[in-house]
Amino acid sequence: MAKDVISVDGQDVVVREDTAKAFRGVNWALASVIAFVAITAALFIIFTVSAASDCEVKTPAEIEQR
């Protein structure tokens, strides 16, 4: 049975290979979700600020009249 080393709380721990792969997979999944949320929030803030930069809030009906 293959062994692998992972770092948990600053200490190296020897575990089975499948456990190490699962550990790394969970870490990558969390990092991906955090990055997605951060990018989405940044885009939301950028587009909200740019849409409201003229200091005039318009309804969709007012926008269509132009």
Side-chain angles (χ1 to χ4, degrees), residues 21-57:
K21 284 183 180 181
F23 180 79
R24 286 190 295 269
V26 168
N27 286 340
W28 271 106
L30 288 174
S32 298
V33 168
I34 290 170
F36 177 77
V37 169
I39 291 168
T40 303
L43 289 174
F44 178 77
I45 290 169
I46 289 169
F47 286 119
T48 302
V49 168
S50 66
S53 63
D54 61 356
C55 299
E56 187 177 319
V57 178

Side-chain angles (χ1 to χ4, degrees), residues 3-24:
K3 299 288 183 181
D4 205 349
V5 178
I6 60 173
S7 179
V8 178
D9 295 330
Q11 295 188 4
D12 291 339
V13 179
V14 177
V15 295
R16 292 188 335 225
E17 184 179 9
D18 62 334
T19 304
K21 284 183 180 181
F23 180 79
R24 286 190 295 269

